């Protein structure tokens, strides 16, 4: 399996769908399913029945998972959407880089 290009904690920009152009932080990455959950993006409404824990019941809004192909990492230098590449440093460590500017994403 290839290395994960988008990880938990990354800031991403939505490329398509109802939230196109919005950005948010990845709260959960599911590489086996090829999906991510982004905070404040792709919100869905659940109808919750009243219970002892929640006596009022009502509507609950939460983020739904979306395909990783619908998001791109936010370039740290330009602030625009960028693809992700990999580079080996002088010390032998592998780091992710933004293809748009060449800036390192982690570390």
């Amino acid at each position: 399996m290839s290395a994960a290009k988008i990880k938990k904690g990354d800031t991403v920009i939505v490329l398509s769908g109802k939230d196109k152009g919005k950005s948010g932080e990845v709260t959960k990455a599911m590489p086996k399913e090829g999906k991510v959950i982004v905070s404040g993006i792709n919100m869905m409404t659940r109808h919750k029945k009243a219970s002892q824990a929640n006596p009022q019941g009502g509507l609950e809004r939460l983020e739904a998972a979306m395909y990783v192909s619908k998001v791109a990492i936010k370039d740290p230098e330009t602030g625009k959407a960028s693809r992700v590449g990999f580079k080996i440093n002088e010390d032998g460590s592998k780091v992710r880089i933004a293809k748009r500017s060449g800036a390192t994403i982690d570390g």
Side-chain angles (χ1 to χ4, degrees), residues 23-84:
S23 63
E25 187 178 330
V26 176
T27 55
K28 186 176 182 183
M30 300 170 271
K32 287 188 178 177
E33 293 90 36
K35 294 185 176 184
V36 290
I37 294 177
V38 184
S39 63
I41 307 291
N42 200 22
M43 299 297 286
M44 67 177 197
T45 306
R46 277 269 162 91
H47 296 277
K48 286 290 187 177
K49 198 173 188 178
S51 64
Q52 278 192 329
N54 184 11
Q56 185 65 33
L59 301 175
E60 179 183 299
R61 294 184 45 79
L62 46 99
E63 296 101 359
M66 61 192 311
Y67 285 106
V68 74
S69 61
K70 288 183 168 251
V71 298
I73 200 136
K74 193 172 190 177
D75 193 313
E77 286 186 8
T78 62
K80 296 181 180 178
S82 174
R83 296 192 313 261
V84 177

Side-chain angles (χ1 to χ4, degrees), residues 4 7 87:
K7 299 179 178 181
K87 186 174 86 171

